[in-house]
Amino acid sequence: TGSLHARLARFSLPTPPAITMVAAACFAAATSRAATAAVVDRHHTPATHLRHHGGVGSFRNVAAAVPSTSARVMAPHHGGVKQRSGTTQRAAAVAEATSRSETSALSDSLRPSSASCARTLVAIANTGTISSVCDDGIALGTFASYVVQDKTGDVVLRMRRDAMHTANIQRDARCSLYVQPASQPPGVLSRATLIGSLELLNDDASAAAASQYNAVHGENVGVDAAGDADNYYRFLVDRVFYVGGLGSDKRAEVVSAADFADAVADPLCMDALSIVDTMNNERYEDVLNFARASLPDQGEPAEARMLWVDTLGFDVRVITGGSGGRDQVLDVRLPFSARAHNLQEAVSSLTMLAQVIWEEEKQYTPTPVPRKVPEEVVEG
Protein backbone atom coordinates (compact mmCIF):
# COMPACT_ATOMS: atom_id res chain seq x y z
CA THR A 1 0.00 0.00 0.00
CA GLY A 2 0.99 3.60 -0.41
CA SER A 3 2.47 5.52 2.49
CA LEU A 4 0.42 7.69 4.84
CA HIS A 5 2.03 10.76 3.29
CA ALA A 6 0.95 9.66 -0.17
CA ARG A 7 -2.61 9.10 1.03
CA LEU A 8 -2.73 12.52 2.64
CA ALA A 9 -1.50 14.02 -0.60
CA ARG A 10 -4.80 13.04 -2.16
CA PHE A 11 -6.44 15.49 0.24
CA SER A 12 -4.02 18.27 -0.82
CA LEU A 13 -2.80 18.65 2.75
CA PRO A 14 0.78 19.10 3.94
CA THR A 15 2.78 16.18 5.27
CA PRO A 16 1.86 15.62 8.94
CA PRO A 17 4.20 15.32 11.90
CA ALA A 18 5.09 11.78 12.88
CA ILE A 19 1.92 10.79 14.69
CA THR A 20 3.21 7.49 15.96
CA MET A 21 6.48 9.07 17.01
CA VAL A 22 4.57 11.57 19.10
CA ALA A 23 2.51 8.82 20.66
CA ALA A 24 5.70 6.90 21.34
CA ALA A 25 7.25 9.82 23.16
CA CYS A 26 4.13 10.29 25.25
CA PHE A 27 3.90 6.56 25.96
CA ALA A 28 7.56 6.24 26.93
CA ALA A 29 7.43 9.21 29.27
CA ALA A 30 4.10 8.20 30.74
CA THR A 31 5.12 4.66 31.55
CA SER A 32 8.33 5.87 33.19
CA ARG A 33 6.57 8.19 35.63
CA ALA A 34 4.35 6.90 38.37
CA ALA A 35 2.51 10.19 38.46
CA THR A 36 1.17 9.64 34.95
CA ALA A 37 -0.28 6.22 35.68
CA ALA A 38 -3.57 5.79 37.50
CA VAL A 39 -5.79 2.82 38.24
CA VAL A 40 -9.50 2.63 37.55
CA ASP A 41 -12.20 0.05 37.89
CA ARG A 42 -12.14 -2.12 34.75
CA HIS A 43 -15.90 -2.56 34.92
CA HIS A 44 -16.64 1.14 34.45
CA THR A 45 -18.17 1.95 31.10
CA PRO A 46 -16.57 4.66 28.95
CA ALA A 47 -19.30 7.12 29.80
CA THR A 48 -18.37 7.06 33.48
CA HIS A 49 -14.93 8.53 32.96
CA LEU A 50 -15.94 11.88 31.48
CA ARG A 51 -19.01 13.92 32.15
CA HIS A 52 -21.53 14.39 29.36
CA HIS A 53 -21.50 17.85 27.80
CA GLY A 54 -24.39 19.46 26.00
CA GLY A 55 -24.46 21.94 23.18
CA VAL A 56 -23.27 19.78 20.32
CA GLY A 57 -25.62 21.00 17.65
CA SER A 58 -23.08 22.99 15.65
CA PHE A 59 -20.69 20.06 15.36
CA ARG A 60 -23.47 17.63 14.44
CA ASN A 61 -24.52 19.87 11.58
CA VAL A 62 -21.06 19.61 10.10
CA ALA A 63 -20.36 15.94 10.82
CA ALA A 64 -23.80 14.36 10.37
CA ALA A 65 -22.99 12.95 6.94
CA VAL A 66 -19.73 11.35 8.09
CA PRO A 67 -20.26 7.78 9.36
CA SER A 68 -18.11 6.50 12.19
CA THR A 69 -15.65 3.87 11.03
CA SER A 70 -15.76 0.41 12.55
CA ALA A 71 -12.32 -0.55 11.34
CA ARG A 72 -9.39 -1.43 13.50
CA VAL A 73 -6.32 0.69 13.03
CA MET A 74 -3.34 0.06 10.80
CA ALA A 75 0.09 1.54 11.31
CA PRO A 76 0.88 4.69 9.36
CA HIS A 77 4.18 4.43 7.53
CA HIS A 78 6.74 6.74 9.04
CA GLY A 79 10.49 6.59 8.83
CA GLY A 80 12.09 5.27 12.01
CA VAL A 81 8.89 3.58 13.24
CA LYS A 82 8.68 -0.19 13.27
CA GLN A 83 5.91 -1.81 11.27
CA ARG A 84 4.10 -5.09 11.71
CA SER A 85 3.24 -6.91 8.53
CA GLY A 86 -0.21 -8.12 7.52
CA THR A 87 -3.64 -6.81 8.31
CA THR A 88 -3.01 -6.77 12.09
CA GLN A 89 -0.54 -3.90 11.96
CA ARG A 90 -0.71 -1.24 14.60
CA ALA A 91 1.20 1.97 14.98
CA ALA A 92 4.32 0.99 16.88
CA ALA A 93 5.04 3.37 19.70
CA VAL A 94 8.81 3.46 19.28
CA ALA A 95 10.29 6.84 20.15
CA GLU A 96 13.18 8.24 18.18
CA ALA A 97 13.76 10.69 21.01
CA THR A 98 16.38 9.25 23.34
CA SER A 99 16.07 11.66 26.21
CA ARG A 100 13.35 13.35 28.18
CA SER A 101 14.47 16.72 26.87
CA GLU A 102 13.93 15.55 23.31
CA THR A 103 10.54 14.14 24.30
CA SER A 104 9.58 17.44 25.91
CA ALA A 105 10.69 19.41 22.85
CA LEU A 106 8.62 17.15 20.61
CA SER A 107 5.54 17.59 22.79
CA ASP A 108 6.01 21.37 22.95
CA SER A 109 5.97 21.60 19.17
CA LEU A 110 2.59 19.88 19.00
CA ARG A 111 0.66 21.82 21.62
CA PRO A 112 -0.18 25.52 21.91
CA SER A 113 2.21 27.54 24.06
CA SER A 114 1.56 28.03 27.75
CA ALA A 115 0.75 31.69 27.04
CA SER A 116 -1.87 30.68 24.47
CA CYS A 117 -3.30 28.02 26.81
CA ALA A 118 -3.60 30.59 29.59
CA ARG A 119 -5.33 32.99 27.21
CA THR A 120 -7.73 30.22 26.23
CA LEU A 121 -8.63 29.47 29.85
CA VAL A 122 -9.31 33.15 30.51
CA ALA A 123 -11.45 33.38 27.37
CA ILE A 124 -13.75 30.46 28.17
CA ALA A 125 -14.09 30.92 31.94
CA ASN A 126 -15.42 34.50 32.50
CA THR A 127 -15.33 33.88 36.26
CA GLY A 128 -12.63 33.17 38.81
CA THR A 129 -11.36 33.79 42.32
CA ILE A 130 -9.76 37.13 43.09
CA SER A 131 -7.39 37.27 46.03
CA SER A 132 -6.83 40.69 47.58
CA VAL A 133 -4.92 41.76 50.69
CA CYS A 134 -6.91 42.54 53.84
CA ASP A 135 -5.82 45.23 56.27
CA ASP A 136 -4.28 42.55 58.52
CA GLY A 137 -2.12 41.31 55.64
CA ILE A 138 -4.06 38.09 55.07
CA ALA A 139 -5.21 37.27 51.53
CA LEU A 140 -8.95 37.13 50.90
CA GLY A 141 -10.21 34.97 48.05
CA THR A 142 -13.66 35.86 46.67
CA PHE A 143 -15.74 35.17 43.58
CA ALA A 144 -15.17 37.49 40.64
CA SER A 145 -16.66 37.80 37.18
CA TYR A 146 -15.02 39.51 34.25
CA VAL A 147 -15.00 40.12 30.51
CA VAL A 148 -12.15 40.13 28.01
CA GLN A 149 -12.14 43.24 25.86
CA ASP A 150 -12.21 42.46 22.16
CA LYS A 151 -9.71 45.03 20.89
CA THR A 152 -7.12 45.05 23.66
CA GLY A 153 -7.52 41.61 25.23
CA ASP A 154 -7.61 43.27 28.66
CA VAL A 155 -9.35 41.46 31.48
CA VAL A 156 -11.93 43.77 33.10
CA LEU A 157 -13.62 42.88 36.40
CA ARG A 158 -16.89 44.19 37.79
CA MET A 159 -16.77 44.78 41.54
CA ARG A 160 -19.45 46.11 43.87
CA ARG A 161 -18.43 49.42 45.36
CA ASP A 162 -19.23 48.26 48.93
CA ALA A 163 -17.61 44.81 48.62
CA MET A 164 -14.79 43.81 50.95
CA HIS A 165 -12.44 42.98 48.08
CA THR A 166 -13.13 46.43 46.60
CA ALA A 167 -12.04 48.04 49.87
CA ASN A 168 -8.93 45.87 49.83
CA ILE A 169 -8.10 46.91 46.25
CA GLN A 170 -8.58 50.59 47.04
CA ARG A 171 -6.04 50.23 49.84
CA ASP A 172 -3.62 47.89 47.98
CA ALA A 173 -4.19 47.27 44.26
CA ARG A 174 -2.04 44.14 44.21
CA CYS A 175 -4.03 40.94 43.66
CA SER A 176 -4.27 37.67 41.77
CA LEU A 177 -7.08 36.15 39.71
CA TYR A 178 -7.35 32.36 39.67
CA VAL A 179 -9.15 30.95 36.62
CA GLN A 180 -10.25 27.35 36.08
CA PRO A 181 -13.16 26.79 33.68
CA ALA A 182 -15.88 24.57 35.11
CA SER A 183 -16.56 23.21 31.61
CA GLN A 184 -13.31 21.22 31.41
CA PRO A 185 -13.74 17.44 31.52
CA PRO A 186 -12.50 15.68 34.67
CA GLY A 187 -8.80 14.91 34.48
CA VAL A 188 -7.83 17.94 32.40
CA LEU A 189 -8.17 20.69 34.99
CA SER A 190 -5.84 23.26 33.47
CA ARG A 191 -5.73 26.53 35.38
CA ALA A 192 -4.11 29.94 35.28
CA THR A 193 -3.43 32.57 37.91
CA LEU A 194 -3.07 36.16 36.75
CA ILE A 195 -0.77 38.08 39.10
CA GLY A 196 -0.63 41.87 39.09
CA SER A 197 -2.82 44.78 40.15
CA LEU A 198 -6.15 46.45 39.34
CA GLU A 199 -6.68 49.85 37.76
CA LEU A 200 -10.01 51.65 38.06
CA LEU A 201 -11.54 52.58 34.69
CA ASN A 202 -12.82 56.06 33.97
CA ASP A 203 -16.52 56.74 33.39
CA ASP A 204 -16.49 56.27 29.62
CA ALA A 205 -14.48 53.06 29.76
CA SER A 206 -16.67 51.79 32.61
CA ALA A 207 -19.82 52.39 30.57
CA ALA A 208 -18.40 50.39 27.67
CA ALA A 209 -17.30 47.64 30.04
CA ALA A 210 -20.74 47.54 31.66
CA SER A 211 -22.39 47.08 28.28
CA GLN A 212 -20.08 44.20 27.40
CA TYR A 213 -20.47 42.68 30.86
CA ASN A 214 -24.26 42.66 30.66
CA ALA A 215 -24.10 41.05 27.21
CA VAL A 216 -21.87 38.26 28.51
CA HIS A 217 -23.17 37.68 32.04
CA GLY A 218 -26.62 39.21 32.08
CA GLU A 219 -27.75 41.30 35.01
CA ASN A 220 -27.48 38.41 37.56
CA VAL A 221 -29.51 38.36 40.76
CA GLY A 222 -29.02 38.87 44.48
CA VAL A 223 -25.59 39.84 45.70
CA ASP A 224 -24.17 39.38 42.17
CA ALA A 225 -26.73 41.65 40.51
CA ALA A 226 -25.16 44.43 38.44
CA GLY A 227 -25.74 47.97 39.71
CA ASP A 228 -25.15 51.52 38.59
CA ALA A 229 -22.64 52.01 41.40
CA ASP A 230 -20.42 49.12 40.39
CA ASN A 231 -16.75 49.70 39.72
CA TYR A 232 -14.93 48.30 36.72
CA TYR A 233 -11.24 47.52 36.98
CA ARG A 234 -8.65 46.60 34.36
CA PHE A 235 -6.29 43.84 35.40
CA LEU A 236 -2.69 44.92 34.89
CA VAL A 237 -0.89 41.62 34.40
CA ASP A 238 2.61 41.32 35.82
CA ARG A 239 2.93 37.59 35.16
CA VAL A 240 0.76 34.48 34.83
CA PHE A 241 1.22 31.13 36.55
CA TYR A 242 -0.06 28.41 34.23
CA VAL A 243 -0.61 24.76 35.14
CA GLY A 244 -1.83 22.30 32.54
CA GLY A 245 -0.92 19.82 29.85
CA LEU A 246 -1.35 16.08 29.69
CA GLY A 247 0.86 13.00 29.55
CA SER A 248 4.52 13.87 29.04
CA ASP A 249 3.59 17.50 28.40
CA LYS A 250 2.51 18.46 31.91
CA ARG A 251 3.47 22.05 32.63
CA ALA A 252 3.68 24.35 35.64
CA GLU A 253 5.41 27.54 34.63
CA VAL A 254 5.37 31.30 34.79
CA VAL A 255 4.33 33.21 31.66
CA SER A 256 5.66 36.75 31.28
CA ALA A 257 3.33 39.70 30.90
CA ALA A 258 4.67 40.33 27.39
CA ASP A 259 4.06 36.74 26.26
CA PHE A 260 0.56 36.76 27.75
CA ALA A 261 -0.24 40.06 26.03
CA ASP A 262 0.95 38.78 22.66
CA ALA A 263 -0.90 35.46 22.91
CA VAL A 264 -4.39 34.82 21.61
CA ALA A 265 -7.00 32.32 22.70
CA ASP A 266 -7.21 29.10 20.73
CA PRO A 267 -9.59 29.55 17.77
CA LEU A 268 -11.41 26.31 18.64
CA CYS A 269 -11.94 27.10 22.31
CA MET A 270 -15.65 27.86 21.98
CA ASP A 271 -16.30 24.71 19.91
CA ALA A 272 -13.97 22.29 21.70
CA LEU A 273 -16.56 20.89 24.11
CA SER A 274 -19.10 20.18 21.37
CA ILE A 275 -16.43 18.44 19.26
CA VAL A 276 -15.25 16.34 22.20
CA ASP A 277 -18.81 15.42 23.19
CA THR A 278 -19.79 14.34 19.70
CA MET A 279 -16.61 12.33 19.11
CA ASN A 280 -17.02 10.47 22.41
CA ASN A 281 -20.72 9.78 22.00
CA GLU A 282 -21.40 9.53 18.26
CA ARG A 283 -18.00 8.59 16.81
CA TYR A 284 -16.58 6.52 19.63
CA GLU A 285 -15.13 3.91 17.26
CA ASP A 286 -12.96 6.60 15.72
CA VAL A 287 -11.71 7.66 19.15
CA LEU A 288 -10.96 4.05 20.02
CA ASN A 289 -9.02 3.67 16.79
CA PHE A 290 -7.05 6.84 17.51
CA ALA A 291 -6.14 5.35 20.88
CA ARG A 292 -5.18 1.99 19.37
CA ALA A 293 -2.85 3.77 16.94
CA SER A 294 -1.04 5.32 19.88
CA LEU A 295 -0.21 2.11 21.72
CA PRO A 296 2.84 -0.12 21.25
CA ASP A 297 2.71 -3.59 19.71
CA GLN A 298 0.25 -5.87 21.51
CA GLY A 299 -1.30 -2.87 23.21
CA GLU A 300 -5.08 -2.88 23.23
CA PRO A 301 -7.23 -0.08 24.65
CA ALA A 302 -9.99 -1.15 26.99
CA GLU A 303 -11.52 2.31 26.75
CA ALA A 304 -10.66 5.65 25.23
CA ARG A 305 -12.02 9.16 25.58
CA MET A 306 -11.14 12.33 23.75
CA LEU A 307 -10.30 14.98 26.34
CA TRP A 308 -9.67 18.18 24.43
CA VAL A 309 -9.08 19.53 20.96
CA ASP A 310 -7.23 22.64 19.86
CA THR A 311 -5.84 24.19 16.72
CA LEU A 312 -2.82 21.84 16.62
CA GLY A 313 -4.38 18.50 17.54
CA PHE A 314 -6.19 16.62 20.26
CA ASP A 315 -5.66 14.62 23.45
CA VAL A 316 -6.98 11.13 24.11
CA ARG A 317 -7.07 9.31 27.44
CA VAL A 318 -6.39 5.62 26.88
CA ILE A 319 -7.21 2.95 29.44
CA THR A 320 -5.18 -0.20 28.88
CA GLY A 321 -5.18 -3.60 30.52
CA GLY A 322 -2.54 -3.71 33.24
CA SER A 323 -1.14 -6.33 35.55
CA GLY A 324 -3.14 -7.79 38.40
CA GLY A 325 -6.45 -7.07 36.77
CA ARG A 326 -5.94 -3.33 37.12
CA ASP A 327 -6.00 -0.80 34.33
CA GLN A 328 -3.45 1.87 33.45
CA VAL A 329 -4.41 5.32 32.25
CA LEU A 330 -2.25 7.02 29.63
CA ASP A 331 -2.75 10.41 27.98
CA VAL A 332 -1.55 10.69 24.39
CA ARG A 333 -1.37 13.59 21.99
CA LEU A 334 -2.24 13.27 18.31
CA PRO A 335 -1.44 16.20 16.00
CA PHE A 336 -3.40 17.52 13.06
CA SER A 337 -1.65 17.55 9.70
CA ALA A 338 -2.39 21.29 9.46
CA ARG A 339 -3.69 23.91 11.85
CA ALA A 340 -7.46 23.89 12.33
CA HIS A 341 -8.58 27.51 12.44
CA ASN A 342 -12.30 26.84 12.85
CA LEU A 343 -14.89 24.14 13.49
CA GLN A 344 -15.10 23.07 9.86
CA GLU A 345 -11.35 22.55 9.56
CA ALA A 346 -11.23 20.60 12.85
CA VAL A 347 -14.00 18.26 11.70
CA SER A 348 -12.22 17.82 8.36
CA SER A 349 -8.92 16.92 10.05
CA LEU A 350 -10.54 14.41 12.40
CA THR A 351 -12.52 12.82 9.59
CA MET A 352 -9.47 12.63 7.34
CA LEU A 353 -7.40 10.94 10.05
CA ALA A 354 -10.18 8.43 10.73
CA GLN A 355 -10.44 7.69 7.00
CA VAL A 356 -6.68 7.19 6.65
CA ILE A 357 -6.70 4.77 9.59
CA TRP A 358 -9.54 2.83 7.98
CA GLU A 359 -7.74 2.68 4.63
CA GLU A 360 -4.52 1.53 6.27
CA GLU A 361 -6.23 -1.38 7.99
CA LYS A 362 -8.15 -2.41 4.93
CA GLN A 363 -5.05 -2.04 2.74
CA TYR A 364 -7.28 0.04 0.54
CA THR A 365 -5.85 1.32 -2.69
CA PRO A 366 -8.12 3.70 -4.56
CA THR A 367 -8.81 2.97 -8.18
CA PRO A 368 -7.40 5.75 -10.34
CA VAL A 369 -10.07 7.78 -12.02
CA PRO A 370 -9.45 7.69 -15.77
CA ARG A 371 -8.87 11.09 -17.18
CA LYS A 372 -10.62 11.76 -20.44
CA VAL A 373 -8.35 13.49 -22.91
CA PRO A 374 -10.29 16.01 -24.97
CA GLU A 375 -10.22 15.35 -28.67
CA GLU A 376 -8.14 17.76 -30.67
CA VAL A 377 -10.07 20.10 -32.83
CA VAL A 378 -8.94 19.60 -36.39
CA GLU A 379 -9.19 22.72 -38.45
CA GLY A 380 -10.68 22.15 -41.89
Side-chain angles (χ1 to χ4, degrees):
T1 61
S3 69
L4 178 63
H5 294 171
R7 294 181 183 279
L8 292 178
R10 303 205 319 272
F11 294 90
S12 299
L13 290 174
T15 298
I19 295 175
T20 51
M21 182 177 174
V22 176
C26 294
F27 183 85
T31 54
S32 66
R33 301 180 188 178
T36 306
V39 289
V40 297
D41 185 347
R42 180 186 295 273
H43 300 293
H44 282 181
T45 60
T48 64
H49 292 284
L50 290 178
R51 73 181 67 166
H52 176 78
H53 298 289
V56 298
S58 60
F59 181 73
R60 285 175 177 157
N61 291 337
V62 176
V66 182
S68 174
T69 66
S70 59
R72 293 171 63 85
V73 71
M74 284 292 286
H77 298 267
H78 289 292
V81 179
K82 295 180 180 179
Q83 299 291 322
R84 296 182 65 188
S85 61
T87 58
T88 60
Q89 288 183 346
R90 292 194 185 97
V94 179
E96 292 294 331
T98 57
S99 68
R100 290 189 179 183
S101 62
E102 289 172 320
T103 298
S104 177
L106 179 62
S107 297
D108 287 344
S109 67
L110 299 170
R111 187 182 297 280
S113 68
S114 294
S116 176
C117 291
R119 272 290 184 188
T120 298
L121 294 177
V122 171
I124 63 180
N126 287 332
T127 62
T129 300
I130 186 169
S131 294
S132 56
V133 183
C134 295
D135 53 6
D136 58 3
I138 298 177
L140 172 69
T142 54
F143 174 82
S145 54
Y146 63 87
V147 293
V148 180
Q149 294 187 322
D150 296 331
K151 293 183 179 180
T152 64
D154 289 336
V155 175
V156 175
L157 293 87
R158 181 190 69 83
M159 301 171 65
R160 293 197 337 270
R161 186 168 297 180
D162 60 348
M164 182 178 293
H165 53 219
T166 305
N168 290 342
I169 292 299
Q170 290 173 344
R171 182 178 54 254
D172 186 343
R174 294 176 302 166
C175 62
S176 65
L177 178 65
Y178 176 81
V179 173
Q180 181 176 314
S183 58
Q184 293 181 104
V188 177
L189 300 181
S190 296
R191 56 264 193 194
T193 303
L194 278 60
I195 303 170
S197 60
L198 293 184
E199 177 185 69
L200 182 65
L201 298 182
N202 60 34
D203 291 342
D204 291 340
S206 293
S211 177
Q212 182 182 2
Y213 182 91
N214 290 336
V216 172
H217 294 277
E219 296 184 355
N220 292 324
V221 295
V223 70
D224 293 323
D228 295 336
D230 292 339
N231 291 338
Y232 289 86
Y233 289 87
R234 177 185 295 109
F235 201 108
L236 304 178
V237 177
D238 178 68
R239 61 194 183 277
V240 177
F241 182 55
Y242 168 74
V243 179
L246 295 163
S248 63
D249 190 33
K250 294 186 293 290
R251 305 177 189 176
E253 60 187 7
V254 175
V255 176
S256 70
D259 287 344
F260 183 74
D262 291 340
V264 295
D266 190 88
L268 298 182
C269 66
M270 298 306 177
D271 295 309
L273 285 179
S274 65
I275 295 173
V276 167
D277 182 86
T278 301
M279 292 300 297
N280 285 329
N281 290 282
E282 299 183 11
R283 297 178 59 180
Y284 178 67
E285 284 296 328
D286 287 340
V287 177
L288 197 63
N289 285 342
F290 296 154
R292 191 175 287 113
S294 305
L295 296 179
D297 290 345
Q298 309 302 328
E300 181 67 22
E303 299 174 14
R305 305 295 286 173
M306 182 179 289
L307 294 179
W308 196 252
V309 60
D310 55 60
T311 186
L312 297 181
F314 58 100
D315 298 284
V316 175
R317 177 153 295 169
V318 187
I319 303 175
T320 65
S323 59
R326 306 294 287 177
D327 293 335
Q328 187 178 36
V329 178
L330 300 174
D331 294 326
V332 295
R333 174 75 173 176
L334 289 90
F336 290 143
S337 60
R339 282 180 178 268
H341 298 94
N342 52 49
L343 173 65
Q344 181 70 46
E345 291 180 6
V347 173
S348 177
S349 293
L350 288 166
T351 302
M352 182 195 68
L353 182 56
Q355 177 67 21
V356 170
I357 287 174
W358 180 87
E359 291 185 9
E360 285 293 327
E361 185 209 348
K362 298 299 183 181
Q363 298 290 290
Y364 172 75
T365 302
T367 302
V369 178
R371 178 177 298 178
K372 184 177 181 180
V373 179
E375 297 180 359
E376 295 183 0
V377 178
V378 180
E379 296 183 0

